[in-house]
Amino acid sequence: MIRVVLQACGPLRETFGAPELGFELADGATLGDLLDRIGADHGERLAGSIWNLRERRFRGPVVIMAGSRAVKDRATPLHDQQVVRLYKAVVGG
Amino acid sequence: MAEGMIGYTGRQLRVQLGEACSRVEPLNRDALQKYLGGTGYACKLLYDELPPGVDPLGPLNKLVFATGPLCSNAVPGGGSVELCFKSPLTGGWGESRAGSDFGPDLRRAGYDHVIIEGRAEQPVYLVIQDDAVAFRPAAHLAGKTVGEKLGIIAGELPEGRFTIGAIGPAGEHLVKYASVMFGDRAAGRGGAGAVMGAKNLLAIAVSGSGKIEPGDAEALKAALRKAVATLRANPTTVAFHEHGTMGDYAGNDEKGDFPTRNWQANSWGKGAELFDRYEAANFIKPYPCYRGCHIACARKAQVKSGPYQTPEHGGAEYESMACFTSYVLNQDVDAAVHCSYLCNQYGLDTISAGSTIAFAMECAEKGILTAQQLSGLDLSWGNAAVLPVLLRMIAHREGVGDLLADGVRLASRHLGQGSEAFAVHVKGMEGPAHDGRSGKALALSYGTGNRGMCHIHPVEAMAWDSGKMDWGLQPHGLPDPEGVGRWDEAGKGSALKLLQDGLNLPEILCTCKFFMYAGITVEHWAELLSALLGRATSGADLLAVAERVYTLQRLFNIREGFTVADDQLPERVKAVPAFGRYRDEPACAIQDYGAMLREYYTARGWDPETGVPTGQTLRRLQIT
């Protein structure tokens, strides 16, 4: 098992009800696995504006950062004790 | 380079269309010191040179293609051009920016600004290639779409890489919200296209081979590295690139920032569904609107088949899509993409066009526009099929399109019968796709915007109290947005003054304001500017310039007869929404707009009752 920490930044802290959430995932887990777990654990209560319930992915300008790099490919491997940060940007102009 | 003009070309090109001649002038050094460039320098020029009361569509109006010292492909956001003029839509200060290589190319040609004067006897287009300025006959371009014009002109130009700004049929027919198009990018708001059309100037092509040496090349490299590193580390850069302005479509609907059914409500409940449809069926890829952009938020979109089949093009921005969906209750995303494309081809501002059609639909519903006036067209809410038809009629001033081509303010005055109550505009400019009931600072910003109810300057108000952004302005006095309620009213007026000044800087420097959303602060701009000009400038210095510019634009409007009455909001946009998720949320309605306005005037050093800048303020700002 690996443990991945999701840090919700800015207004997303309120969305998730906490600034930080831990997820236990199987060895070799990928970003897709993390998204599936987010969907299973939180999907029903996440707002439709940021979460696509059917496709188990974020909707709109939500960015997942691993270190200084944005990640979006579901096949991106995750490692134990990895911290991923979640941002929602303001982009509508 | 003359002293005080390092970082500039030092020259402006004045074009007299009536006599088909031009001359090169040195920049006004005093104006550079006080107003820098872009909309600042152009405002000073137009304030000094335009007689009060001049007809915006007459030969005495002037159109300035303005750049600034940061207008360069190498600078983040520097691929910009600012068009400044007296607006035919509002009768007041007009400015409109486009992301394009036009600005940097103009500076490479050796000019910081082009000032267009007079009126050509016959249609012409202008070709500027370094020192050569040519007036070309353009009768063969008349009536062509923007795309057709650009294609024909490209085939007639001499050797060289040119950037072209052109109007479409809407500009030729003096539609009061006609745009000037730079490829698929629009200087859309306020009617610059009509000003160009009134001058019989159908296009301008520019090419340059020169280079502007910075005051301190090493410092410039360092400042650029720092700015680019900031952008790369900021998630908003990724968000803009991945989703463009459409990214907030669903979120805005949810938070009540989504004008719906001609502003009867601020949410619709269809945002997520329509956003998914757009991403799956219409979106192709992101692209940069100028060479070198670090964000590349523009979208290539298309409609592959069906009644609204549309070729790949640059467009389908958030504002355009909202105005052709929620405003008119249209759920056909293909139709909205098609309408955005048509506006680009006709040279129409998508926001005013969509808003005006929404107004017309409500007029039809209430029987104010009759079947006879509508020539049998069905203007029922949600009727997608009528949208392209109306756009063509507006662009060519055919039938009811002639009335709608003047915008909602004049159309409602003509129609009467209570239609003024739902003609949503400020100073004559139709409202964009953000709603002041999502955050009260936005409401005040709409009212006090110098060019009216626009989508550029006011948006930071929403992004502050609702979106919790601060753009690094807290050290300059902006309250921490985390401590501000979006529906609070007290304190919004004083905060707005700083928000407007700080986020007006990109228009003065001739950069793109999205870069400030992605982490570039006034201090970054100051570092870049200091290196370019070879003299130290601070963020506080730039904010002082921005305040001066904002106040001079205010004086421009006052001279044209604007009063506190022109800072008011339509009652509809202050009221509790008629339907949607905020219908039972009275706190979102504006409670005491007058108090917010007085607080704002006071913060600006304007008379709290009349909104006129005081003599003390003008002396402090050295406005003479």
Side-chain angles (χ1 to χ4, degrees), chain B residues 78-94:
Chain B
S80 302
V81 61
E82 299 280 351
L83 275 59
C84 301
F85 49 97
K86 180 176 176 181
S87 166
L89 187 64
T90 70
W93 171 250

Side-chain angles (χ1 to χ4, degrees), chain B residues 142-220:
Chain B
K144 306 285 188 192
T145 65
V146 168
E148 289 167 342
K149 282 190 177 86
L150 295 178
I152 294 169
I153 292 170
E156 297 174 348
L157 290 171
E159 283 288 308
R161 189 182 52 76
F162 281 85
T163 307
I164 307 169
I167 61 171
E172 295 176 51
H173 289 96
L174 310 184
V175 176
K176 289 185 188 296
Y177 44 90
S179 58
V180 178
M181 299 301 301
F182 298 84
D184 281 329
R185 306 302 298 182
R189 305 234 67 191
V195 175
M196 236 170 108
K199 294 183 175 304
N200 255 334
L201 178 62
L202 303 194
I204 302 183
V206 64
S207 175
S209 58
K211 187 180 177 190
I212 301 164
E213 294 297 333
D216 186 336
E218 288 306 311
L220 180 60

Side-chain angles (χ1 to χ4, degrees), chain B residues 471-516:
Chain B
W471 306 273
L473 288 172
Q474 286 193 51
H476 297 279
L478 185 71
D480 182 352
E482 295 293 347
V484 174
R486 65 174 176 146
W487 291 331
D488 295 346
E489 295 189 356
K492 297 290 173 76
S494 55
L496 180 61
K497 183 256 179 200
L498 186 54
L499 285 166
Q500 287 175 333
D501 290 346
L503 277 293
N504 200 27
L505 271 174
E507 320 297 339
I508 297 166
L509 300 168
C510 212
T511 62
C512 169
K513 78 183 312 178
F514 282 174
F515 285 77
M516 293 190 76

